[in-house]
Structures are given as C-alpha cells and as structure tokens.
Amino acid sequence: MDKIDDQLRALALPFDKGFLDMPARAFWLRAEASPHFTAWSGQLECQQGFRPAFDRLQAAGFKAVERLAGGYPLGLCLLSKHKSESRALIAQGLDQLAPGGVLVCCGANASGAASLEKEAAKRFGLLGSLSKHQCRVFWLEKAEAADWLAEGAPRPVADTALVARAGCFSPDHVDRGSRLLAAHLPAGLSGRVADLGAGWGYLSAEILSRFDAVTAVDLYEAESMALDDARTNLAAFGERASYHWIDVCAGLPEVAPYDWIVSNPPFHEGAKADPAIGQAFITAAWKAIRRRGKFLLVANQHLPYEAELRRRFREVELVTVADGFKIYLSTNRHDR
C-alpha cells in the first residue's frame, strides 16, 4: 500500500482506538486529503504548503488554509523525511496549541520516525505512542520549543548568497541540473521570462543578475516555503520578479505570452519517478510561450521528454549532455 496512506492510517489510530477525541476545532500540519479523516473534515483546519496537496484537500471538502490562527486544543502533524523540517513542524504545532493542548505526530519508520520519537520523548515527554503500518504515532502536550522551531528557518546555500530551508528541494546546495542550466543560459536572453518549478529562486536570480535585457521573471512554484525563500533571495530585483504559488501541472494562468521559459522540472511526487510531471511542464510551457519564443529545459538524461518537446515545438536542439543531465532548447511552437 502507498506509504502516505500507511502514515494516514497510523495517524488516525489514537482516535479510532479511543485514546484521544477529536475536538470541535483542531489543526493539521502537512495535511493530506484522506478518507481516514473525512468524518472530521469540518473540524480540521488543514495547513498545506504544497499546492497539489492543497488543491486535493479543497476538492475533497477539507478546510485548507495557508496560515493557522493559533489557540487550538489539538493538532495533527505528518512528519517528513527531513529531520530538521520535522523538528520544526513539531515546534510549530506545539506553538499553535492552547495551554494543555495536545499534538499528535506521525511518521514512517523508514523516514526515521522512531528516532525522532525518542528525541521528542527526551525533550518534551510523551502522553502516548503507538506503532502500526510501519509507522510511529506519538502525542505530547504543549511545550516551548524555540530551538526546534529555529531548525525550519532559512539557511545559507553553499557557494551562493542565497538562502533556503529544510524541506525545500536541495536546500543546502545548488542541484547539478540547475547549475548546468545556469551555465548554458544563452547570451540573447531578454524580454519576459517564466521560471517553471522555480524553487527558492536560483535560476531566476542568475537570469535577473546577468541579463539586463530581461524585463521581468515570473516564478511558478508549488511549494510555498520555497517561494517564500525566493522572495527573500530576489528582493533586490524589486518588481522585475513576480511570485506565483501554483501547480504547474494544472496549467498556468492566462497571461501575455512569454519570450523565454526556463525549467528544471521535478520528476517525482513522493518516492516514485513520474515522467508525466515533466511532460505536463512541457505542455504548460508550450501554452504560455509566444509563437517564436524559446524554451530551455534541463532534465535527467534518462527521462523521455524529447518526443513531447518535438510534438510541441518545430525546432528542438540538444544543447548538451553532461553530468547525467540533458539540456534542450526548443523554439517555434506548433499551433496544436
């Protein structure tokens, strides 16, 4: 069974077994649309920064919110595979509770949940815990955790003047694909540019700092905390940079066509590779670019994107193959 569903089933266990009751008002960090929680969809305020999951929550009738209001008697928290991010999530959850409130946390054993549970027990003390579905679920009472909260703060990215935080893609260094693409940005880059899957803004920062003829860059990114870091990283460029919290796979908003589009698209949601994500990025670029605009794409060299590029564009050039990646420059879009 899918790992996230195992985690969701485990998170529901303390309520299913009667150890805890769901109050009339509660919150859920990193919430996911799940039938295991449908009965409480009207009681849970669901904070989710990943736009596809946010959209799924809304479609399923959950109350998806970008920010929580605080003072809750109970909260839920799905832990991530990043220990620093999970510590920060626990601290954020504890901070949102009313005095005496309870936070229920759940993580997969494969992602280090047992180790984190031991740390939480030593740091705060636990009210209870369960083990099921290859997951750990544990609950604790409101406490102060400023040191853990700080682990979710933006930190310097190696060899750059930029910052990113745990939970973003490649938060401690520039990933190889983006660095390769930055090294092959052509001299003629100008006009209006879109950066699809912009992350914390590395490619956009490179474009805005190196190409004065670029009038504006629109950053499209599904992870809201990465976009927050991009706002910090690109603040010096003022109105030349715009930020859009959006699922590129669902398409871009209606805007004037772009002169250039650049992208280092993700190729998985969760653990499993899914080339359909990159193919959806190509479709989004094709729809949003002007007829003779240029689309620069970097991707792992094993991913099957060339056929989709040739279906959408009349001219597709393989710019380079290096370090496990390919860069394509596509121009002159087909009108179909």
Side-chain angles (χ1 to χ4, degrees):
M1 182 169 287
D2 186 81
K3 289 182 180 179
I4 188 63
D5 190 61
D6 287 343
Q7 204 171 342
L8 291 164
R9 289 192 295 159
L11 183 61
L13 276 175
F15 305 95
D16 294 342
K17 291 182 175 293
F19 297 139
L20 294 171
D21 294 319
M22 185 67 69
R25 178 174 176 262
F27 69 86
W28 188 1
L29 298 176
R30 296 186 77 245
E32 292 282 349
S34 168
H36 305 295
F37 291 87
T38 300
W40 302 308
S41 61
Q43 298 159 245
L44 287 165
E45 294 178 25
C46 301
Q47 181 176 300
Q48 174 55 262
F50 185 54
R51 190 57 192 253
F54 182 94
D55 292 342
R56 288 193 294 266
L57 284 162
Q58 287 193 319
F62 287 84
K63 293 194 293 185
V65 298
E66 291 187 54
R67 298 287 184 269
L68 297 172
Y72 300 87
L74 184 137
L76 308 177
C77 177
L78 280 179
L79 304 174
S80 83
K81 62 183 179 180
H82 307 286
K83 183 166 278 190
S84 291
E85 182 189 12
S86 289
R87 288 196 190 106
L89 282 166
I90 290 172
Q92 181 189 351
L94 292 172
D95 187 59
Q96 290 290 335
L97 293 171
V102 175
L103 180 68
V104 187
C105 306
C106 184
N109 292 339
S111 297
S115 172
L116 190 60
E117 179 186 348
K118 289 179 182 177
E119 288 186 36
K122 183 177 180 180
R123 175 71 170 77
F124 307 107
L126 300 183
L127 298 175
S129 66
L130 292 166
S131 178
K132 189 75 171 178
H133 308 305
Q134 298 183 318
C135 296
R136 299 291 303 183
V137 56
F138 55 93
W139 51 103
L140 57 161
E141 194 171 8
K142 181 178 176 66
E144 187 279 328
D147 53 335
W148 281 28
L149 189 63
E151 295 197 35
R155 301 190 177 204
V157 179
D159 302 319
T160 76
L162 310 178
V163 298
R165 70 192 76 188
C168 296
F169 173 66
S170 193
D172 55 358
H173 67 281
V174 180
D175 68 283
R176 290 177 298 156
S178 292
R179 193 174 290 281
L180 184 68
L181 185 56
H184 287 82
L185 292 171
L189 205 62
S190 62
R192 295 184 66 251
V193 179
D195 182 355
L196 308 188
W200 38 266
Y202 169 73
L203 279 174
S204 292
E206 287 287 306
I207 290 168
L208 287 165
S209 62
R210 289 164 49 187
F211 300 95
D212 292 339
V214 169
T215 56
V217 175
D218 283 347
L219 289 80
Y220 294 94
E221 170 56 40
E223 181 53 67
S224 62
M225 64 181 174
L227 207 58
D228 287 342
D229 291 340
R231 289 186 178 94
T232 299
N233 292 330
L234 276 63
F237 299 106
E239 294 183 358
R240 289 179 72 203
S242 299
Y243 311 90
H244 308 271
W245 183 46
I246 198 168
D247 176 12
V248 172
C249 293
L252 305 187
E254 291 288 335
V255 295
Y258 289 102
D259 300 294
W260 284 82
I261 295 179
V262 300
S263 185
N264 178 9
F267 60 93
H268 57 82
E269 182 182 336
K272 199 170 187 179
D274 184 2
I277 298 174
Q279 290 164 346
F281 270 56
I282 293 169
T283 299
W286 168 74
K287 289 181 178 179
I289 205 165
R290 67 179 177 84
R291 180 163 183 175
R292 298 193 181 277
K294 297 182 179 182
F295 175 39
L296 202 57
L297 172 79
V298 64
N300 293 65
Q301 64 182 61
H302 70 275
L303 293 171
Y305 292 159
E306 187 168 343
E308 185 66 16
L309 287 168
R310 294 193 181 280
R311 190 166 81 88
R312 299 297 190 182
F313 296 88
R314 288 184 170 85
E315 301 167 27
V316 177
E317 174 191 353
L318 179 59
V319 175
T320 190
V321 181
D323 206 16
F325 292 87
K326 291 181 177 180
I327 294 178
Y328 293 98
L329 177 62
S330 304
T331 60
N332 201 7
R333 53 164 280 179
H334 289 298
D335 290 330
R336 58 178 171 81

